[in-house]
Amino acid sequence: MGTGKGKRKTLKKMVVAGGLAISSIAFFPAWASSANAPTLKLFPQDVRHYLKETSDNAKQLEDNLRGLVSKFDNQVALYKSSHCQDVAGDDGCEEIKSQIEKDYRGILSVMAQGLPGIKSSINSASSGLEKQISKRIGRNMKPRDIQRQLGDKATPKVHGSLSKRFSAYHDLISRNGSSSLIVMASEIYLDTSSAKDWVELIEADIASQGVVLDVFKMYGEISPEMINTLNGVKSIVFGEDIIGSEDGLPDGSVQAAAAESPWVIQ
Amino acid sequence: MLIKLIKVGLAAGCLAALTTGCVEKSARISPSSAPLTPECSLPASKLASEAFREARKTLSNQECRYQFEPIFNSLLQISSGDPDPVNKDRFSDLVGWARNDGIISTVQAKEMFTRYFHHNYVSLPDDYQACAYCTQLNRIKADLRDELRQKELGLGKVAMDKAGITKARTDYKSIEIVLSATCRACGGSEI
């Protein structure tokens, strides 16, 4: 009699344990299928939205600037080839000079109008990522856990203009291939931080361009400040568009675990 | 009075004898100050297989056990001149043998092997959350760089493990990026 009671108790325990196991798998399918790859919520919806918005705002700025910058470059080339800086009072040179001044003012005005929107969306994306990285990596992982989270493939390196970079980030997150999410989030966060710095620098630059234009009007010399500002805008707003593998390193597939030494710290 | 003097003299003599004894003892166990005796010499062969045999023979001598680290380093240098994928197994066998013989601990065996022959970075701290290490970020990055150099020697030169060293390089860059971003994020938020 006592033995039968014991058997029934054991059976009851097994049924409860089995039920719990099945419900765990049913409720947490991702966890059950890949215990070594926990899903990190590093890219919440608002971060994705702000990355897309940054890309759209930057694209708008690029489109508005492209024609003006090209016109400015042509006028500067003409001014230099005509040796206008050495001639005073020539009508043709005065005409080119006023055109250069007008185009430059136009560029500054487009930048001044476009930058606040870009700055706001970059700031929002950056602070959203900062919160997630600090919470999910900084306060949730030990440094050695970081390597445990890395995938087998290198994260694609994203270069190019602001709009292309942020659009590529948005695409990479949406595709979410085999690349490591923590590396991607870190790269995007560092890029948003440097883009923030760049926007602030350009804003400060624009604020000081009134003096630069006055000097140009008075002496007819295209100052290095004007050229530097333009070069900065061109390299960052238009940049080269390259999306490739990390520094050209081949993808290293790790040797099979079976061939590994027992003397490896995991 | 005479008895007192004798007592003081005896005490001083005992103290002197004890001190000398201590000095001799510490000189005997300190590996850094002790020169290699002929029977504890480093492997001389230029062939890895022969050098490993020599190393085991030397380390089997009780007097030479403290020389494990210089012998390990010497084997790395010899093997870099005789590169072969099988060298990784030779080092794995050596640390396993040394651990079973009580020459090194299990932790030392794993640490030494992984440092040179696996893409995992043992210099990454594993005690506290990442934010806690941000004040030491530069030192951690320097340690990682040193370990990458050791992996270049072990995985790259000695074991010719192309996939392994590629993964070690890629991981090094990724870890640097993640640590930099994490420390920036930790500093930017209230922790």
Side-chain angles (χ1 to χ4, degrees), chain A residues 188-199:
Chain A
I188 298 172
Y189 171 60
L190 290 175
D191 196 11
T192 55
S193 302
S194 63
K196 254 165 63 182
D197 294 345
W198 169 78
V199 169

Side-chain angles (χ1 to χ4, degrees), chain A residues 126 129-155 157 180-190 192-194 196-197 246-255 257 259-266, chain B residues 88-89 91-93 95-97 99-100 105-107 109-111 113-114 117-133 140 161-164 166-182 184-186 188-191:
Chain A
S126 186
L129 276 170
E130 182 173 285
K131 218 183 287 172
Q132 296 303 320
I133 289 173
S134 159
K135 183 178 163 190
R136 300 191 189 275
I137 304 176
R139 284 183 268 170
N140 202 32
M141 284 188 200
K142 297 169 195 165
R144 209 174 282 176
D145 293 333
I146 290 171
Q147 189 173 21
R148 293 182 186 120
Q149 289 289 327
L150 300 178
D152 278 347
K153 284 190 176 174
T155 311
K157 204 82 183 148
S180 168
L181 281 176
I182 61 169
V183 183
M184 210 189 292
S186 301
E187 283 189 338
I188 298 172
Y189 171 60
L190 290 175
T192 55
S193 302
S194 63
K196 254 165 63 182
D197 294 345
E246 167 93 5
D247 294 329
L249 285 173
D251 287 337
S253 62
V254 192
Q255 284 181 345
E260 265 185 3
S261 161
W263 304 105
V264 172
I265 297 176
Q266 295 298 339
Chain B
K88 194 196 270 191
D89 298 331
F91 275 96
S92 174
D93 292 346
V95 295
W97 169 82
R99 179 259 184 200
N100 291 339
S105 67
T106 305
V107 172
K110 287 189 172 186
E111 208 263 357
F113 183 80
T114 309
F117 295 101
H118 197 270
H119 60 264
N120 283 354
Y121 283 86
V122 292
S123 56
L124 279 173
D126 203 26
D127 297 318
Y128 307 105
Q129 57 184 18
C131 283
Y133 291 100
I140 293 172
D161 180 354
K162 219 173 170 185
T166 304
K167 172 78 174 145
R169 287 177 195 151
T170 313
D171 279 9
Y172 167 78
K173 284 189 180 158
S174 300
I175 294 165
E176 260 212 321
I177 290 168
V178 177
L179 281 177
S180 299
T182 303
R184 195 180 173 116
C186 292
S189 59
E190 289 172 340
I191 48 170

Side-chain angles (χ1 to χ4, degrees), chain A residues 63-74:
Chain A
D63 291 346
N64 293 343
L65 275 177
R66 206 175 296 278
L68 274 172
V69 168
S70 140
K71 209 170 147 204
F72 176 85
D73 282 345
N74 289 338

Side-chain angles (χ1 to χ4, degrees), chain A residues 100-260:
Chain A
I100 289 175
E101 190 199 330
K102 194 179 147 201
D103 291 342
Y104 196 65
R105 279 193 198 282
I107 291 168
L108 296 182
S109 158
V110 168
M111 292 291 287
Q113 278 171 20
L115 283 179
I118 293 179
K119 192 178 168 181
S120 158
S121 52
I122 287 181
N123 279 347
S124 303
S126 186
S127 62
L129 276 170
E130 182 173 285
K131 218 183 287 172
Q132 296 303 320
I133 289 173
S134 159
K135 183 178 163 190
R136 300 191 189 275
I137 304 176
R139 284 183 268 170
N140 202 32
M141 284 188 200
K142 297 169 195 165
R144 209 174 282 176
D145 293 333
I146 290 171
Q147 189 173 21
R148 293 182 186 120
Q149 289 289 327
L150 300 178
D152 278 347
K153 284 190 176 174
T155 311
K157 204 82 183 148
V158 176
H159 302 279
S161 67
L162 264 183
S163 70
K164 296 275 179 187
R165 286 206 317 270
F166 281 82
S167 163
Y169 291 148
H170 186 261
D171 288 350
L172 285 170
I173 296 164
S174 307
R175 268 192 276 140
N176 189 14
S178 54
S179 298
S180 168
L181 281 176
I182 61 169
V183 183
M184 210 189 292
S186 301
E187 283 189 338
I188 298 172
Y189 171 60
L190 290 175
D191 196 11
T192 55
S193 302
S194 63
K196 254 165 63 182
D197 294 345
W198 169 78
V199 169
E200 274 159 21
L201 267 176
I202 291 285
E203 276 184 334
D205 233 17
I206 288 170
S208 68
Q209 291 301 305
V211 183
V212 173
L213 273 171
D214 287 345
V215 170
F216 176 64
K217 262 163 61 182
M218 273 196 288
Y219 302 108
E221 275 183 33
I222 296 161
S223 70
E225 284 86 357
M226 284 169 85
I227 300 300
N228 285 345
T229 304
L230 250 295
N231 285 343
V233 168
K234 278 195 272 186
S235 72
I236 296 166
V237 178
F238 301 127
E240 293 296 307
D241 306 326
I242 308 157
I243 302 174
S245 171
E246 167 93 5
D247 294 329
L249 285 173
D251 287 337
S253 62
V254 192
Q255 284 181 345
E260 265 185 3

Side-chain angles (χ1 to χ4, degrees), chain B:
Chain B
M1 185 66 183
L2 186 68
I3 295 168
K4 245 187 187 177
L5 270 171
I6 291 167
K7 272 185 183 171
V8 170
L10 271 175
C14 285
L15 195 67
L18 272 173
T19 318
T20 321
C22 285
V23 169
E24 276 175 4
K25 200 176 178 187
S26 69
R28 218 179 293 135
I29 56 164
S30 164
S32 55
S33 59
L36 287 178
T37 54
E39 59 273 17
C40 296
S41 57
L42 298 172
S45 176
K46 300 284 176 212
L47 291 173
S49 56
E50 184 52 36
F52 273 88
R53 259 194 296 278
E54 284 177 44
R56 281 205 195 199
K57 200 176 159 199
T58 305
L59 289 167
S60 298
N61 183 342
Q62 288 290 326
E63 296 292 313
C64 307
R65 296 162 83 88
Y66 64 87
Q67 289 295 345
F68 184 80
E69 207 172 316
I71 286 174
F72 185 91
N73 290 333
S74 171
L75 286 172
L76 280 169
Q77 293 309 319
I78 293 166
S79 305
S80 69
D82 186 13
D84 193 324
V86 96
N87 282 334
K88 194 196 270 191
D89 298 331
R90 288 184 174 131
F91 275 96
S92 174
D93 292 346
L94 178 77
V95 295
W97 169 82
R99 179 259 184 200
N100 291 339
D101 242 37
I103 298 171
I104 53 172
S105 67
T106 305
V107 172
Q108 282 174 310
K110 287 189 172 186
E111 208 263 357
M112 286 178 103
F113 183 80
T114 309
R115 184 174 284 277
Y116 287 94
F117 295 101
H118 197 270
H119 60 264
N120 283 354
Y121 283 86
V122 292
S123 56
L124 279 173
D126 203 26
D127 297 318
Y128 307 105
Q129 57 184 18
C131 283
Y133 291 100
C134 287
T135 52
Q136 304 161 45
L137 185 62
N138 287 337
R139 186 190 55 75
I140 293 172
K141 283 185 176 179
D143 290 347
L144 275 176
R145 252 194 316 278
D146 287 345
E147 194 174 338
L148 176 60
R149 262 183 236 123
Q150 289 164 326
K151 290 183 196 307
E152 293 282 356
L153 174 63
L155 278 171
K157 278 193 185 171
V158 171
M160 300 169 80
D161 180 354
K162 219 173 170 185
I165 192 61
T166 304
K167 172 78 174 145
R169 287 177 195 151
T170 313
D171 279 9
Y172 167 78
K173 284 189 180 158
S174 300
I175 294 165
E176 260 212 321
I177 290 168
V178 177
L179 281 177
S180 299
T182 303
C183 283
R184 195 180 173 116
C186 292
S189 59
E190 289 172 340
I191 48 170

